[in-house]
Amino acid sequence: MADKISKEKRSENMRAIRSVSILENMVTKGVWARGYRFRKNVKGMLGKPDIVMKKYKVVIFIDSCFWHNCPVHGTLPKSNTDFWIEKLTRNKRRDKEVSDYYVEGDWNLLRIWEHEIRSDFNGSIERIINFINLAKAKESSF
């Protein structure tokens, strides 16, 4: 089935997609408002984590259900399926490589799905805060 919009319009739509989502901004503002200080989308780090606290070796990734192929809500576009299967498979493989890198480097890694945040925003913020607190306690015990 052919695309319903022109190639130029599709290109314009794709250019409008930003690497930092509104959802990520909501989460980082929620964590920041609770008094936790961190860096966002650190370019020099593998996978450009959404939240980084180097002092406590904390990296947090907020994974969108579409781009990271969520097993619960991930969908496959109906057109150009071969491209999308390859693209999403490659994303999933990269996510695993990035996760393995941080785990092997003794980082405290948290991946949280978009649908978890959307279904329980306050609970997700609390989960992130608890994760950070555990990492802080772990790092201070050394």
Side-chain angles (χ1 to χ4, degrees):
M1 178 175 201
D3 206 348
K4 293 182 180 183
I5 60 175
S6 70
K7 187 175 180 180
E8 293 77 21
K9 183 64 177 167
R10 173 67 61 213
S11 183
E12 181 183 325
N13 290 349
M14 295 306 281
R15 269 195 311 275
I17 298 170
R18 298 287 168 231
S19 65
V20 178
S21 73
I22 293 169
L23 188 65
E24 288 173 27
N25 283 336
M26 288 172 53
V27 169
T28 55
K29 284 179 182 177
V31 174
W32 192 271
R34 299 280 297 272
Y36 292 83
R37 300 299 175 248
F38 51 86
R39 297 286 172 247
K40 286 174 49 172
N41 307 106
V42 180
K43 291 179 184 168
M45 295 184 70
L46 187 65
K48 210 166 112 177
D50 298 305
I51 295 174
V52 177
M53 298 174 86
K54 286 184 179 180
K55 180 178 181 179
Y56 304 114
K57 294 187 86 172
V58 168
V59 288
I60 300 172
F61 291 90
I62 301 166
D63 292 339
S64 84
C65 290
F66 176 76
W67 291 108
H68 297 270
N69 201 14
C70 170
V72 178
H73 298 104
T75 58
L76 189 63
K78 291 184 179 14
S79 63
N80 206 6
T81 53
D82 290 340
F83 166 81
W84 285 109
I85 289 169
E86 183 181 332
K87 169 74 175 159
L88 297 175
T89 301
R90 201 168 55 239
N91 289 355
K92 199 108 169 128
R93 188 171 40 247
R94 186 186 63 239
D95 289 345
K96 182 175 178 357
E97 289 169 5
V98 168
S99 293
D100 290 347
Y101 171 83
Y102 286 112
V103 168
E104 289 168 11
D106 258 352
W107 283 78
N108 300 290
L109 168 76
L110 176 64
R111 284 192 172 273
I112 189 162
W113 286 106
E114 167 190 8
H115 70 262
E116 294 174 304
I117 297 164
R118 289 190 187 280
S119 67
D120 184 9
F121 181 80
N122 291 329
S124 296
I125 297 297
E126 199 59 39
R127 180 176 166 207
I128 291 169
I129 298 300
N130 290 338
F131 178 78
I132 293 169
N133 288 337
L134 282 172
K136 285 170 83 171
K138 179 180 158 186
E139 290 302 314
S140 65
S141 68
F142 286 113

